[in-house]
Amino acid sequence: MRNRFLKQAGFSVALGMVMAQGAMAQAPDKVQSPDWTGVWRLKGSPAVMDREDGRSFVAGTRDHPPYNAEWEKRYTRDLVRGEHQGDANFPDPIVDTHTVFCAAGMPHLMGTPFDYEFVVTPAKTWIVADKETRHIYTDGRKFLPDDERWPTLLGTSIGHWENQTLVVETVSMRSDVWADTTPVMFSDKMRITERIRRMDANTLENQMTIADPVAFTKPWTFTKHYTLMKKGTWVSEPEKCGGPEDRNPIVNGRVISVMPGVK
Amino acid sequence: MIKRLVLVGLIGLAMALFTAPMLAHHSFAAFDLSKTVTLVGVVKEFQWLNPHSWIQLMVTDSNGKEMEWSIETSSPSGLSRQGWKPKSLKPGDHITVTMHPMRDGKPGGSLVTTTLADGTKIGGSPVGDAKE
């Protein structure tokens, strides 16, 4: 009798362990996480988000977000102000926010010349570029309520897998951060949807859609690509700004160049 | 020692297309990207610094007057990806650089190309890798 009880108890414990293991194996996602290891670099130019060519900081270089009239007017005005950010004689320049924060923020971070790493696990994916790290939760969690979130450079991201495509939703980004080297900005209602997949052995594709019911007349969609660097590539040292070595400080709202011996 | 300062003038369309400045910690608005200047001089110092590295170049003009020029380049990581090393330039090196000059006329610019005295070119364009 006692032996039978012990056998039943042992069976129950073993069954419980198997069930627990089974539950852990299924959670949080049933998909097999793809291998995106390696160092990746943006294909094409980082000048603007909605094209893969273009030249940074050249007059006339611009994106074409589907702004409404009010926001298009603001963007057109800010383009000129941004082109004069180093001009001591221009009355009202603005400095690009990558200089201000020494960080790209979102969505800019996905269109830089920095080295990218995609660290994929079932419950979470990290995207690392320069000194910024995106945390993308794929464990099934939902966004916190509005009153428990606040705008940040990279926003808050959750994701899920559709076969081998990582679908990422990002909210709560700062509205005053440029989307690239031009002053594309958004309202605090903006939301980014990314569909990231491996097109072939050497290419990752990120189809980005930005919705902004305040600034846009329709969603803005564009695609960025990243090329896999050869095995053994070292990740670049992060760029650091604002220290004593920085010869391009912001003075009186303008980016200046410090020239030794020149007044 | 130092030979000449030559204003080359407007850059060509190809250069306009293929030397897009890298994302930097600041814009290149201070530089006149429509012009390219060639400088021949002697390296005073190569500052391998974040966020941008600089070449301090001593240049003598046609009147024999020597002047120090500051030529801004990319970040150390950006330069290294294009084949540069911290000691690619040493004080005393005779080099030829092309650069986009500063709009305000100060002796400075944004580096386009660098050539050593023996004709060796260092790296690619340190301010542009638009085409990979």
Side-chain angles (χ1 to χ4, degrees), chain A residues 12-216:
Chain A
S12 298
V13 169
L15 181 63
M17 289 175 67
V18 169
M19 290 175 68
Q21 285 179 339
M24 286 171 65
Q26 288 181 4
D29 284 321
K30 297 175 183 175
V31 297
Q32 183 78 31
S33 301
D35 180 5
W36 293 351
T37 56
V39 178
W40 303 80
R41 286 184 190 156
L42 183 74
K43 186 178 179 182
S45 169
V48 294
M49 291 303 271
D50 59 8
R51 285 171 49 189
E52 291 189 325
D53 58 359
R55 195 161 185 236
S56 307
F57 302 119
V58 174
T61 297
R62 60 162 292 166
D63 295 90
H64 294 85
Y67 277 140
N68 58 37
E70 177 189 348
W71 281 72
E72 173 63 25
K73 183 178 179 183
R74 169 179 155 171
Y75 179 48
T76 304
R77 179 197 65 199
D78 287 347
L79 278 166
V80 177
R81 297 174 66 205
E83 289 164 6
H84 289 82
Q85 61 186 283
D87 186 347
N89 299 315
F90 193 78
D92 185 28
I94 51 172
V95 176
D96 62 278
T97 51
H98 189 253
T99 300
V100 173
F101 297 112
C102 197
M106 278 295 288
H108 194 175
L109 190 64
M110 300 313 294
T112 77
F114 300 135
D115 291 337
Y116 290 89
E117 291 179 290
F118 297 81
V119 184
V120 180
T121 69
K124 188 177 176 183
T125 292
W126 291 261
I127 301 178
V128 183
D130 202 51
K131 55 191 170 300
E132 296 172 75
T133 305
R134 297 181 63 195
H135 301 264
I136 300 164
Y137 297 93
T138 52
D139 57 0
R141 72 180 63 188
K142 306 297 180 190
F143 285 124
L144 289 167
D146 287 350
D147 62 356
E148 294 181 34
R149 290 187 269 115
W150 60 92
T152 60
L153 282 168
L154 295 174
T156 300
S157 299
I158 59 175
H160 67 274
W161 289 93
E162 294 181 4
N163 295 318
Q164 296 293 291
T165 299
L166 176 61
V167 182
V168 185
E169 298 286 334
T170 303
V171 298
S172 298
M173 289 152 282
R174 289 183 63 128
S175 60
D176 57 350
V177 172
W178 294 20
D180 49 43
T181 62
T182 74
V184 174
M185 287 178 270
F186 310 93
S187 78
D188 59 2
K189 305 297 183 194
M190 65 113 56
R191 184 184 187 101
I192 302 176
T193 303
E194 294 166 277
R195 298 182 64 85
I196 307 171
R197 69 184 181 100
R198 193 167 196 156
M199 292 176 66
D200 55 48
N202 295 316
T203 311
L204 279 180
E205 176 192 76
N206 184 3
Q207 185 187 82
M208 303 181 72
T209 300
I210 301 177
D212 189 332
V214 176
F216 290 172

Side-chain angles (χ1 to χ4, degrees), chain A residues 83 85-87 255 257, chain B residues 26-32 101-104:
Chain A
E83 289 164 6
Q85 61 186 283
D87 186 347
V255 182
S257 296
Chain B
H26 70 90
S27 91
F28 283 71
F31 306 110
D32 187 346
M102 294 196 70
R103 292 184 189 277
D104 64 7

Side-chain angles (χ1 to χ4, degrees), chain B residues 74-86:
Chain B
S74 184
S75 63
S77 60
L79 288 172
S80 66
R81 286 192 307 202
Q82 302 194 37
W84 286 73
K85 298 174 183 175

Side-chain angles (χ1 to χ4, degrees), chain B residues 6 11 21 31 44 104 120 122 132:
Chain B
V6 181
I11 59 173
F31 306 110
K44 177 182 179 184
D104 64 7
T120 304
I122 305 176
E132 291 188 15

Side-chain angles (χ1 to χ4, degrees), chain A residues 41-47 52-58 82-87 96 98-100 102 104 108 111-115 130 180-181 227 229 236-243 245-249 255 257-260 262-263, chain B residues 11 15-31 33-34 44 47-56 68-72 74-78 80-81 100 102-104 106-109 112 127 129-132:
Chain A
R41 286 184 190 156
L42 183 74
K43 186 178 179 182
S45 169
E52 291 189 325
D53 58 359
R55 195 161 185 236
S56 307
F57 302 119
V58 174
E83 289 164 6
H84 289 82
Q85 61 186 283
D87 186 347
D96 62 278
H98 189 253
T99 300
V100 173
C102 197
H108 194 175
T112 77
F114 300 135
D115 291 337
D130 202 51
D180 49 43
T181 62
T227 303
M229 297 293 102
S236 296
E237 170 73 7
E239 193 173 285
K240 301 177 182 68
C241 317
E245 299 174 339
D246 192 343
R247 292 179 56 179
N248 298 109
V255 182
S257 296
V258 177
M259 301 291 184
V262 176
K263 301 296 180 187
Chain B
I11 59 173
M15 186 168 283
L17 289 173
F18 292 106
T19 59
M22 298 180 68
L23 174 71
H25 95 291
H26 70 90
S27 91
F28 283 71
F31 306 110
L33 302 182
S34 70
K44 177 182 179 184
Q47 301 174 349
W48 188 261
L49 301 175
N50 259 309
H52 286 187
S53 299
W54 292 75
I55 300 169
Q56 296 301 126
E68 181 175 352
W69 286 71
S70 298
I71 300 129
E72 185 165 5
S74 184
S75 63
S77 60
S80 66
R81 286 192 307 202
H100 301 308
M102 294 196 70
R103 292 184 189 277
D104 64 7
K106 287 180 180 173
V112 179
V127 292
D129 58 354
K131 306 292 180 185
E132 291 188 15

